Amino acid sequence: MRVIARRHGASYTVCEVMLDQFLVALSKRQKTKHFLEIDPDEPPVGGQLMGAEPEQFSAGAMKLVEAGFDIIDVNFGCPVKKVLGRCRGGFHLSQPAVAIEILRRTRDIVPDHIPVTVKMRRGMDDTAESRDAFFEILDGAMDAGLAAATVHGRTVKQRYIGPSRWEFLTDVKQHVGDRLRILGSGDLFSAADCLRMLEQTGIDGVTVARGAIGNPWIFSQARALASGDPLPPPPTLHEQARVIQEHVDLCERTYTPERALILMRKHCIKYSQSHPNHEAVRQDLARVRERAAFDAALERHYGTDGPGRYVPDDYHRK
């Protein structure tokens, strides 16, 4: 997915988050080598990690450096329950001293030419104490010499329920000024959303997450709007088929043909949203178990070219 995003205009991508202790123990075995694999088309690409202990965190960061990642991203934003229960991810927003120590140790061990960034939510919850802790960590990030912070407009307890508070991003950018680049996250499901967040908040950039799954065209569309050009038309059926085929081919190369279609199922369901007959396409692609059946379904629904559609605005907002 990182390769597909880069080929469609993403400025850079970030790998899936990995545990520091997993990284420290990771070998180059065939079964796990893909975790640190970087495609020639990817750079710049960021390596993302999370953990609980400052010492092990910095050791994990070095494994990402050694693997060739161009940016090291510290995750203080993951809201998953089992992650929080093990004092990782978003849990660190409740303990500023430990969070700042992790950022300092990571920045100290990572070579100077490699940027270190942090991913945060706006706090554990909506209390004043949580807000104070957020800004204490943000100030610590600036003192430690981090290059940027990605800020999600929801709290950890909120997870993905309810709207992302973009006005909080405005407060964050006003707080840091030019001392730190702020990237915004949350409720970015169209190119127009990306531009609207930039205009409303004054932040330096946006990071698209769920909105890019099955819709890599969001990056080229956002670039066009940012340049003052009209919104490009949605991809045609042949354009969609080419990208889906490309994504499956890349997945087979990385994970083996046997696993590829299983792993691609969720992506294909998302891709189907750009097809006018999306419900039938979704059901067909979700059922395939072997490459021949997949190719047949692709030919059945995308063999004849025609106009696609923009992903409906309410698709992600249900």
Side-chain angles (χ1 to χ4, degrees), residues 77-222:
C78 182
V80 176
K81 187 175 180 179
K82 68 178 181 180
V83 170
L84 302 177
R86 294 171 182 170
C87 304
R88 299 166 178 156
F91 179 84
H92 288 299
L93 296 179
S94 68
Q95 47 177 12
V98 176
I100 292 169
E101 179 68 12
I102 286 173
L103 296 179
R104 285 177 177 165
R105 283 177 177 262
T106 304
R107 178 63 279 180
D108 286 346
I109 199 170
V110 171
D112 291 344
H113 70 281
I114 297 178
V116 174
T117 61
V118 62
K119 186 177 278 88
M120 306 168 67
R121 284 180 170 243
R122 73 170 196 262
M124 286 294 293
D125 51 37
D126 281 320
T127 62
E129 292 80 7
S130 185
R131 181 184 174 93
D132 290 344
F134 173 93
F135 282 103
E136 183 179 347
I137 296 169
L138 192 65
D139 288 342
M142 289 188 284
D143 293 340
L146 267 64
T150 296
V151 180
H152 193 295
R154 292 186 179 90
T155 64
V156 173
K157 289 189 175 180
Q158 193 179 355
R159 298 189 69 182
Y160 297 102
I161 300 172
S164 176
R165 289 191 187 172
W166 290 6
E167 62 270 22
F168 182 77
L169 303 179
T170 304
D171 296 342
V172 171
K173 187 56 189 176
Q174 290 175 348
H175 179 83
V176 303
D178 294 330
R179 295 174 294 165
L180 188 70
R181 290 182 179 178
I182 300 298
L183 309 178
S185 178
D187 290 349
L188 297 173
F189 300 123
S190 70
D193 290 337
C194 297
L195 271 292
R196 192 162 50 86
M197 177 181 275
L198 290 171
E199 292 165 356
Q200 287 184 11
T201 65
I203 57 176
D204 303 287
V206 298
T207 58
V208 183
R210 289 180 295 158
I213 302 174
N215 185 25
W217 300 279
I218 191 172
F219 299 110
S220 56
Q221 291 169 355

Side-chain angles (χ1 to χ4, degrees), residues 6-316:
R6 285 285 287 135
R7 290 176 180 174
H8 284 81
S11 303
Y12 76 98
T13 61
V14 181
C15 75
E16 62 182 299
V17 65
M18 290 180 273
L19 286 176
D20 51 6
Q21 62 188 37
F22 169 78
L23 283 166
V24 171
L26 190 62
S27 66
K28 294 184 178 180
R29 292 183 302 145
Q30 183 69 27
K31 188 176 180 180
T32 57
K33 71 173 187 175
H34 64 273
F35 284 104
L36 297 180
E37 184 178 10
I38 299 173
D39 189 274
D41 286 349
E42 280 196 76
V45 57
Q48 181 184 186
L49 77 161
M50 68 178 176
E53 301 297 331
E55 278 191 36
Q56 191 160 254
F57 216 106
S58 56
M62 279 310 297
K63 287 285 292 220
L64 293 174
V65 169
E66 293 162 3
F69 287 96
D70 305 284
I71 301 156
I72 305 302
D73 188 54
V74 176
N75 186 304
F76 288 165
C78 182
V80 176
K81 187 175 180 179
K82 68 178 181 180
V83 170
L84 302 177
R86 294 171 182 170
C87 304
R88 299 166 178 156
F91 179 84
H92 288 299
L93 296 179
S94 68
Q95 47 177 12
V98 176
I100 292 169
E101 179 68 12
I102 286 173
L103 296 179
R104 285 177 177 165
R105 283 177 177 262
T106 304
R107 178 63 279 180
D108 286 346
I109 199 170
V110 171
D112 291 344
H113 70 281
I114 297 178
V116 174
T117 61
V118 62
K119 186 177 278 88
M120 306 168 67
R121 284 180 170 243
R122 73 170 196 262
M124 286 294 293
D125 51 37
D126 281 320
T127 62
E129 292 80 7
S130 185
R131 181 184 174 93
D132 290 344
F134 173 93
F135 282 103
E136 183 179 347
I137 296 169
L138 192 65
D139 288 342
M142 289 188 284
D143 293 340
L146 267 64
T150 296
V151 180
H152 193 295
R154 292 186 179 90
T155 64
V156 173
K157 289 189 175 180
Q158 193 179 355
R159 298 189 69 182
Y160 297 102
I161 300 172
S164 176
R165 289 191 187 172
W166 290 6
E167 62 270 22
F168 182 77
L169 303 179
T170 304
D171 296 342
V172 171
K173 187 56 189 176
Q174 290 175 348
H175 179 83
V176 303
D178 294 330
R179 295 174 294 165
L180 188 70
R181 290 182 179 178
I182 300 298
L183 309 178
S185 178
D187 290 349
L188 297 173
F189 300 123
S190 70
D193 290 337
C194 297
L195 271 292
R196 192 162 50 86
M197 177 181 275
L198 290 171
E199 292 165 356
Q200 287 184 11
T201 65
I203 57 176
D204 303 287
V206 298
T207 58
V208 183
R210 289 180 295 158
I213 302 174
N215 185 25
W217 300 279
I218 191 172
F219 299 110
S220 56
Q221 291 169 355
R223 281 185 174 273
L225 293 182
S227 299
D229 297 327
L231 178 68
T236 67
L237 299 189
H238 277 182
E239 289 172 334
Q240 292 175 43
R242 179 184 60 78
V243 174
I244 296 171
Q245 187 82 60
E246 182 183 22
H247 201 155
V248 171
D249 290 342
L250 287 166
C251 195
E252 284 188 346
R253 191 181 75 191
T254 302
Y255 296 102
T256 74
E258 292 73 26
R259 293 187 61 201
L261 287 180
I262 296 174
L263 294 170
M264 278 296 300
R265 196 172 300 151
K266 64 181 179 182
H267 291 279
C268 287
I269 289 172
K270 298 289 188 180
Y271 276 119
S272 72
Q273 288 297 312
S274 295
H275 195 291
N277 193 18
H278 64 96
E279 192 64 34
V281 179
R282 181 185 67 81
Q283 292 178 5
D284 253 15
L285 293 180
R287 284 197 295 258
V288 296
R289 298 291 185 275
E290 55 186 32
R291 186 59 187 261
F294 168 80
D295 290 340
L298 212 62
E299 176 61 28
R300 185 159 53 250
H301 295 292
Y302 296 89
T304 301
D305 201 10
R309 68 170 190 168
Y310 298 114
V311 177
D313 187 62
D314 63 350
Y315 174 63
H316 295 280

